[in-house]
Amino acid sequence: MELYRNMSKEKYGRSKKLSNTVVSRSFIILMVIGLLAGCEKSGNVAMLSEDKSLTIAYFSADMFRDRYKNVIEQKFPKLSLSIVPITDILEQSEQSEDQSAKNSVDIIYVPSENMKQFIDNGQIIDLDPLIKSSSLDVSLYEPEIIDYSRNFGNGKLYGIPTSLLGKVLVYNKEVFDANRINYPNDGMDWDDLLSLAQQFPENGLVIDYLLPSEIIWEIGRIRGLKAYQTNPEQISVMGLQWEEIWKLLAEPMKSGTVSFDNRPFFEGKAAMAIMNGKHERDIEANEKWATVTMPIDPNQPEVTTHSYIDGFYAISSSSKSVEESFELLKFLLSPELSRLEEASMQQAIPVLKKETRSKAVQSMLKLKPVFYEALPFEFNKFGESTMNKIVIEDIPVDQALGELQDQLDQWLLNKNR
């Protein structure tokens, strides 16, 4: 409980940056250079072997170099590559035409939350015509990921991701067997999962990479409740239906059957855990552990909000080198660089198909990713405080939600001043 009380503010929202954790740099570079040397010359090699200059909008130049380990420079030594911060592009809508022209780029790594905006504003181009006239084989990618990517463009493909981030429900078969309780299964909803967790005397479910309030808002959305609507702006987090949802999670937290510290699971003491792709290798290596899908929305049992894309590589509509940009984009999406990412990115899972998938990824891909607009940061900020009041201070749920409503109303008032 003390760990929950001291949860870091860094866990309030999904990260907009990819993990920087890397394995031995020299080993990776040698491995990838060897792979590249054995590849036949293709269109991108010929086109980008000339003296060319391209600009990529990414989180930062350092992050881009750390992600690709100078492999692009070694593959295309005559290519002059400039990296500009994606924030420059995000701010273009507030700039004059002259200023925007100065910030024109060729390739943009568009964060998922901005993808629809970029398409609607005409900032990126439809890739389908380029794909049809080139050697980029989209069938190499998991079809669920391509379908998800097309959702942003109403069927058109404006960007392609390199990796998938997701969560999975892992369970310890030995703990279930020792308690003579049936294993969890695919397609459970949150009610099913929390009920199953409470069959254990303690440590029925440990949760990492999710906040209690994130679960609350998801269950509310599934039940048709709108905590926040934008037109007109309105907040509603009180009432018997919301109270029932907060109690659904708060009561097992009070009893210790649900917690937000995954250490008991790694120690073999907990029955179930929610983990992300960072633990894919741990999950695969442990024969006692098995996986099922994350909790679903019974109204949409085939989709999930727990597998998502960090960003998409797209070609800017301002690019004056579309063909060259597409050739570089193909290389960024190639199996060669996918192997590099898989070796160096602990959390992200490459979306290129593999002959064999780990049990964690198999469970993730049983559900199709679907995008929902996240609630403003303040809903999780004040939500953590609310759960503390209910679980730790034992304040009645209706009183705690009344205080939450007041906090969010005040936030909305200040926001609109």
Side-chain angles (χ1 to χ4, degrees):
M1 191 64 67
E2 186 63 28
L3 281 168
Y4 169 66
R5 190 198 304 264
N6 295 322
M7 290 173 72
S8 169
K9 291 183 180 179
E10 294 178 0
K11 293 181 68 179
Y12 281 137
R14 291 175 176 172
S15 173
K16 291 185 175 65
K17 298 181 180 179
L18 295 173
S19 170
N20 288 328
T21 308
V22 295
V23 297
S24 171
R25 181 174 301 230
S26 57
F27 172 77
I28 294 174
I29 293 176
L30 289 171
M31 175 186 72
V32 176
I33 290 174
L35 288 166
L36 298 181
C39 295
E40 295 182 3
K41 288 215 169 192
S42 60
N44 59 13
V45 175
M47 187 174 292
L48 295 177
S49 292
E50 305 169 13
D51 292 327
K52 296 288 182 181
S53 297
L54 294 177
T55 301
I56 298 180
Y58 198 73
F59 296 120
S60 73
D62 288 342
M63 289 186 69
F64 188 86
R65 293 190 187 98
D66 191 54
R67 183 172 183 177
Y68 294 112
K69 311 293 184 296
N70 298 320
V71 169
I72 297 172
E73 289 86 344
Q74 297 191 37
K75 178 76 171 182
F76 309 112
K78 293 186 178 180
L79 175 64
S80 176
L81 203 59
S82 301
I83 312 298
V84 299
I86 185 66
T87 50
D88 289 358
I89 311 303
L90 295 174
E91 292 169 0
Q92 277 191 5
S93 59
E94 301 174 5
Q95 298 175 341
S96 69
E97 247 179 66
D98 291 340
Q99 288 173 313
S100 295
K102 292 177 184 176
N103 287 330
S104 63
V105 297
D106 298 294
I107 295 174
I108 306 175
Y109 189 77
V110 184
S112 284
E113 59 267 30
N114 301 111
M115 191 64 176
K116 190 75 171 109
Q117 168 197 336
F118 272 63
I119 294 172
D120 292 344
N121 291 347
Q123 292 172 275
I124 54 179
I125 65 173
D126 178 9
L127 297 178
D128 281 322
L130 292 167
I131 291 171
K132 288 176 183 177
S133 62
S134 78
S135 59
L136 180 60
D137 186 0
V138 181
S139 67
L140 293 173
Y141 288 83
E142 297 290 350
E144 294 89 349
I145 306 306
I146 296 300
D147 290 345
Y148 174 74
S149 304
R150 289 188 183 280
N151 285 341
F152 290 92
N154 295 319
K156 295 181 179 180
L157 194 62
Y158 283 86
I160 304 177
T162 62
S163 53
L164 171 75
L165 296 99
K167 299 179 183 66
V168 66
L169 180 63
V170 190
Y171 63 95
N172 187 320
K173 292 180 285 186
E174 284 192 348
V175 175
F176 272 85
D177 293 341
N179 287 273
R180 298 183 180 180
I181 296 173
N182 291 333
Y183 298 155
N185 51 268
D186 291 333
M188 297 188 301
D189 60 23
W190 280 106
D191 292 71
D192 296 331
L193 177 57
L194 294 173
S195 176
L196 179 59
Q198 291 180 85
Q199 294 184 41
F200 294 87
E202 61 179 353
N203 292 323
L205 172 66
V206 298
I207 301 173
D208 207 353
Y209 312 106
L210 271 179
L211 291 169
S213 54
E214 289 180 293
I215 298 171
I216 297 293
W217 306 132
E218 180 176 353
I219 297 174
R221 177 185 56 76
I222 289 171
R223 295 188 182 184
L225 301 177
K226 290 186 177 181
Y228 177 63
Q229 63 181 39
T230 56
N231 190 22
E233 276 195 302
Q234 185 176 333
I235 294 172
S236 179
V237 295
M238 294 178 63
L240 293 177
Q241 289 178 294
W242 278 119
E243 289 177 28
E244 180 184 337
I245 294 171
W246 283 85
K247 289 176 182 176
L248 183 69
L249 183 57
E251 289 175 359
M253 286 177 65
K254 286 182 178 180
S255 67
T257 54
V258 172
S259 68
F260 288 78
D261 172 14
N262 66 11
R263 285 180 299 179
F265 191 81
F266 282 97
E267 294 168 357
K269 300 175 183 177
M272 297 178 288
I274 288 176
M275 297 186 186
N276 69 9
K278 177 180 179 180
H279 299 294
E280 180 193 10
R281 291 182 178 88
D282 296 324
I283 296 167
E284 189 65 17
N286 197 319
E287 294 181 358
K288 301 174 186 176
W289 295 356
T291 64
V292 294
T293 61
M294 283 290 289
I296 53 94
D297 175 355
N299 302 310
Q300 296 179 288
E302 75 285 356
V303 304
T304 181
T305 59
H306 296 290
S307 292
Y308 58 100
I309 304 300
D310 180 82
F312 300 80
Y313 276 114
I315 295 179
S316 169
S317 55
S318 69
S319 174
K320 296 178 176 60
S321 305
V322 171
E323 291 186 4
E324 292 86 351
S325 297
F326 188 66
E327 292 305 323
L328 181 57
L329 183 145
K330 288 196 311 187
F331 182 64
L332 291 169
L333 301 168
S334 67
E336 296 98 307
L337 287 195
S338 178
R339 293 185 186 101
L340 170 64
E341 287 204 40
E342 191 167 19
S344 62
M345 307 292 285
Q346 285 196 9
Q347 182 175 348
I349 298 166
V351 298
L352 279 170
K353 286 181 181 176
K354 295 174 67 176
E355 289 184 10
T356 57
R357 282 292 197 184
S358 69
K359 51 193 175 186
V361 175
Q362 288 178 44
S363 291
M364 288 180 194
L365 292 178
K366 285 180 181 178
L367 302 175
K368 296 178 181 179
V370 65
F371 177 78
Y372 284 104
E373 191 69 39
L375 288 171
F377 161 82
E378 284 72 16
F379 278 75
N380 285 330
K381 174 184 176 182
F382 297 133
E384 183 198 15
S385 173
T386 300
M387 189 60 84
N388 276 330
K389 291 175 183 177
I390 296 170
V391 174
I392 299 173
E393 300 175 27
D394 206 25
I395 291 176
V397 175
D398 59 345
Q399 179 183 333
L401 294 191
E403 294 174 7
L404 175 61
Q405 181 76 48
D406 291 341
Q407 287 176 310
L408 290 171
D409 284 341
Q410 186 60 48
W411 161 76
L412 186 59
L413 182 66
N414 294 337
K415 170 179 172 288
N416 293 326
R417 279 179 178 168

